[in-house]
Amino acid sequence: MYGSRQLVRKSVLILLGLAWLAPVYLMLVNAAKPQDSYLSSSAWAPSDFTGLWDNLHLAWTKGHLGGGVASTTLYALVSPALAVLIGAAAGFAIVALRLPRGFLWLAVIFSSTVFPIQMLLMPLFTQYVKFDLYDSRFGLVLIYTAISVAFTSFVMRNFFAGIAPQTFEAAVMDGASTWRIFWRIYLPMSVPALAALFILQATLVWNDLLLGLTLTRSEGVRPLMPSLAALEGNYGGTTIPVLLAGGLIVSLPTVALFLAAQRFFSRGLALGQF
């Protein structure tokens, strides 16, 4: 009985894995097809990958993806790092410092997620133009940090709640300052959670299309996803292999980031219970 249940579980997991990998297979196979033979062959039929390099090169040059990669790399590194630090500081203040009405402050911070970002696009656009933040890298770093703080604060508050209060009290008795306790004790203890949050928020920033389209216009500031969308517009949606090759370029960095930090990510999902 136990063996049959194990077999069913493994079969279900294999089927789910194949279903998840099917879009990846389709993107890779069709991105490798020459443009003139794409419509004459089945989407599921693999090719000899002769057109992959040409499609990648065309997507990179004609879509001006180089500038988008540079800009998005900046946004995906700086904004999540700032959001994680701010969220950790907020969680530390609420839990360790026992901030008065701490839960109310957490509710105020998390209330920023109540309204969908689409409702804020028009006032955000007008205010960015008014304060000369429109089409600037600083403006995008600012908004990406702001939309990430709520989630990071919520998670770090829950993480720090699992640390014994005696840890903070013992450090105070030893003469450590509040800043030293936060920087030397609490942050090192929360590295897995910080890493998991950073990966999640970096992926969110990397895949953003809406804010990039709304708040930028120049190729030097525009994130990668709007650059990919512009590539589709330039080609009228006819050269599917080129578009898929551009999607492959866009997808690889986030996959590499997850694989490189998989250990921290898995441990961080447990909120430090390891």
Side-chain angles (χ1 to χ4, degrees):
M1 186 67 178
Y2 177 77
S4 61
R5 281 189 292 184
Q6 285 289 95
L7 179 61
V8 171
R9 181 182 301 175
K10 290 182 179 179
S11 300
V12 171
L13 291 177
I14 291 174
L15 290 176
L16 291 176
L18 292 175
W20 184 85
L21 290 174
V24 180
Y25 169 81
L26 286 173
M27 181 173 66
L28 182 60
V29 166
N30 290 283
K33 292 181 179 180
Q35 299 178 53
D36 54 359
S37 64
Y38 170 75
L39 295 177
S40 61
S41 61
S42 172
W44 291 93
S47 66
D48 54 3
F49 288 83
T50 55
L52 180 60
W53 174 252
D54 291 336
N55 293 333
L56 290 173
H57 180 72
L58 193 59
W60 182 268
T61 55
K62 297 296 184 181
H64 304 285
L65 298 184
V69 168
S71 299
T72 308
T73 300
L74 173 67
Y75 307 144
L77 291 177
V78 176
S79 295
L82 291 175
V84 165
L85 287 177
I86 295 172
F92 176 78
I94 294 172
V95 174
L97 301 183
R98 299 178 182 177
L99 188 69
R101 298 182 178 86
F103 184 79
L104 178 61
W105 281 108
L106 179 65
V108 169
I109 296 173
F110 201 70
S111 65
S112 61
T113 62
V114 172
F115 300 102
I117 193 65
Q118 290 85 350
M119 294 180 60
L120 307 177
L121 288 180
M122 183 56 68
L124 189 63
F125 174 79
T126 56
Q127 294 303 309
Y128 261 54
V129 172
K130 178 180 178 180
F131 290 99
D132 200 25
L133 293 173
Y134 177 74
D135 198 35
S136 69
R137 288 183 172 179
F138 176 75
L140 281 185
V141 168
L142 186 64
I143 187 60
Y144 286 143
T145 303
I147 64 175
S148 301
V149 164
F151 181 70
T152 57
S153 300
F154 175 77
V155 173
M156 293 310 299
R157 183 263 181 189
N158 292 340
F159 180 89
F160 288 144
I163 299 178
Q166 291 80 2
T167 303
F168 182 83
E169 296 171 0
V172 171
M173 292 295 294
D174 289 338
S177 64
T178 301
W179 172 254
R180 189 177 182 87
I181 295 172
F182 172 69
W183 191 256
R184 295 295 183 89
I185 299 177
Y186 275 73
L187 280 187
M189 292 176 66
S190 59
V191 166
L194 295 174
L197 285 173
F198 179 85
I199 294 171
L200 289 173
Q201 298 308 312
T203 304
L204 173 69
V205 172
W206 188 273
N207 293 329
D208 171 67
L209 172 65
L210 191 59
L211 291 173
L213 283 175
T214 305
L215 302 178
T216 65
R217 67 169 181 269
S218 61
E219 294 179 358
V221 179
R222 187 170 55 192
L224 189 55
M225 285 300 175
S227 299
L228 186 62
L231 175 65
E232 182 179 5
N234 290 338
Y235 282 84
T238 56
T239 55
I240 302 299
V242 175
L243 296 176
L244 293 176
L248 188 62
I249 295 174
V250 170
S251 304
L252 286 178
T254 53
V255 174
L257 175 63
F258 175 78
L259 293 177
Q262 186 177 9
R263 178 171 61 91
F264 290 104
F265 185 76
S266 300
R267 293 169 64 185
L269 287 180
L271 294 180
Q273 302 303 314
F274 54 87

